Amino acid sequence: MLFSSKWVKGWWHKEPQFNFNNLVDEHANMSQEKLFQAARDMYGQEIDNDHDDGADNTNDDDMMNIDDHQQQEHQNPNETPEKLKELLSQLEDEIENIPEKEAYELGLFANPDYLESIKFRLMFLRSDRYDPRAAAKRLVNYWDRKVQLFGADKAFRPLRMPIDFAPKDETSATQGGFRLLPARDEAGRAVIFSFRRYYDNRHENIESMLRLFWCISHAALEDPEDGDTIQQVGFVGLTGNGMDDVAADSMLQACSNHIEFYSTFYSDLIHCLPMKIAAIHMFAPNPWVKLLIEHVLSFQGPHLRARVQIYDGTTEENLDKLEDYGISPEMVPPELGGTLDFNYHGWLMRKRVEDAARYGTGLTSTSTDTMMDMEVTTEKMFEG
């Protein structure tokens, strides 16, 4: 059944706060520098921003792994040993200046080697383009949110997928509403595919969906082979709906669920996760999906909206357009018209085995009694 825009707006609660016309106006009012950076991100060309803030000294022992990040053909000027020492010192100062950081301080007690490691902190500097203040805010928010989602017994170490899911999360993991695709695009960026038909985003499932996304994103960020590259060049999102045949009486509830989920999802993405989002390609096959996307745009903020591309043409037109951004049809799932052959459930099983072998069963330096005490403290932190 096809629906006109007029009909769709008739059953929607209210007009979207942000629409495609606003998007055009917002782009027109952006500075040339920001527009240029957004274009470079979307097409997979990196821009590095130097910071001239004063440097402080960092312990030489803490810097012993910095040289590991210097093996790229085109060395990032922000990741020379001298610059990294400066940025990491500034990051530490900015963290100290944040007054409320209980979850972060719990983490320093539980697993200081992980929280203070250069490899971990570098994720946040990279995601915020080497801005220590922004990275410090994101890092503190990250721990608050990670404890809320996973609990103190799982938060303060690398996430293991799907080992760290709660029992109620298994359905979300099996459905695979978010999938890390096996190949990187031409710029080396990780591609995450989201398809509405593959997840249930009712209110009671929102946290399960978010835990899935956190684990998916960390699978790329902490990948032993190309995690460093992904942290620098970023992520690309491919989003489809697959709800063309939803009954009219189910549409309002489905879209209401969608809005509730994405308001929380984009809050995590913008404020917490150390992900550099290079581009979001959103497929809108019919008017009601376009209207839904307009509502979603209001949660993204100007930085992400500048990296959004909407696809509403034929399959051939959409694939040609995607290829301009470095994503070939062979990388695109069949649900969006591509020819990617990807066994998600086989990947999920392999990931379970790999993460168990790589990370083991969890923290070994903190006793069970201490972890139980931390759980009680965490519950008090987030009461109300």
Side-chain angles (χ1 to χ4, degrees), residues 193-195 237-242 280-286 289-290 293 309-315 317-319 322 332 335-337:
F193 171 53
S194 171
F195 200 61
L238 293 178
T239 71
N241 198 278
I280 302 175
H281 302 281
M282 308 181 80
F283 285 70
N286 58 48
V289 175
K290 287 183 182 179
I293 288 175
Q309 184 62 253
I310 308 296
Y311 295 78
D312 58 0
T314 65
T315 297
E317 290 170 342
N318 291 341
L319 292 177
L322 265 180
V332 179
E335 293 87 345
L336 300 181

Side-chain angles (χ1 to χ4, degrees), residues 4-16 291 294:
S4 68
S5 296
K6 182 177 180 181
W7 187 91
V8 172
K9 291 180 181 180
W11 55 258
W12 198 267
H13 286 300
K14 59 183 179 180
E15 293 289 326
L291 184 63
E294 288 184 330

Side-chain angles (χ1 to χ4, degrees), residues 191-208:
V191 182
I192 293 180
F193 171 53
S194 171
F195 200 61
R196 172 61 186 86
R197 187 176 289 279
Y198 294 157
Y199 60 82
D200 181 350
N201 59 1
R202 286 176 294 179
H203 174 79
E204 59 269 25
N205 297 322
I206 286 178
E207 287 198 349
S208 290

Side-chain angles (χ1 to χ4, degrees), residues 161 172 175-180 192-195 198-199 209-210 212-213 216 261-262 265 344:
M161 181 179 177
S172 293
Q175 289 174 330
F178 292 108
R179 303 182 180 190
L180 177 64
I192 293 180
F193 171 53
S194 171
F195 200 61
Y198 294 157
Y199 60 82
M209 284 295 302
L210 292 172
L212 172 63
F213 185 80
I216 285 283
F261 168 71
Y262 273 106
F265 169 80
Y344 166 75

Side-chain angles (χ1 to χ4, degrees), residues 84-207:
L84 273 181
K85 179 180 282 191
E86 175 186 339
L87 289 169
L88 288 164
S89 176
Q90 292 172 9
L91 176 62
E92 180 64 30
D93 290 343
E94 293 293 347
I95 293 172
E96 289 300 315
N97 289 335
I98 296 175
E100 295 185 8
K101 45 182 181 286
E102 288 185 70
Y104 170 77
E105 289 169 344
L106 272 176
L108 286 180
F109 169 73
N111 195 353
D113 290 344
Y114 181 53
L115 270 73
E116 295 183 322
S117 71
I118 289 171
K119 201 170 187 67
F120 176 77
R121 293 190 170 202
L122 194 51
M123 287 196 300
F124 292 85
L125 285 169
R126 287 167 169 168
S127 68
D128 281 300
R129 300 185 187 278
Y130 305 96
D131 179 338
R133 179 168 296 179
K137 291 179 180 177
R138 183 181 299 275
L139 190 149
V140 169
N141 290 339
Y142 170 93
W143 289 116
D144 286 343
R145 188 66 174 135
K146 193 177 180 186
V147 169
Q148 286 180 321
L149 284 174
F150 293 93
D153 60 326
K154 298 176 182 178
F156 302 118
R157 54 164 170 73
L159 291 174
R160 301 164 302 172
M161 181 179 177
I163 300 169
D164 284 334
F165 292 154
K168 65 180 180 180
D169 298 341
E170 289 295 333
T171 299
S172 293
T174 302
Q175 289 174 330
F178 292 108
R179 303 182 180 190
L180 177 64
L181 299 186
R184 310 301 179 227
D185 73 359
E186 290 181 2
R189 300 173 297 188
V191 182
I192 293 180
F193 171 53
S194 171
F195 200 61
R196 172 61 186 86
R197 187 176 289 279
Y198 294 157
Y199 60 82
D200 181 350
N201 59 1
R202 286 176 294 179
H203 174 79
E204 59 269 25
N205 297 322
I206 286 178
E207 287 198 349

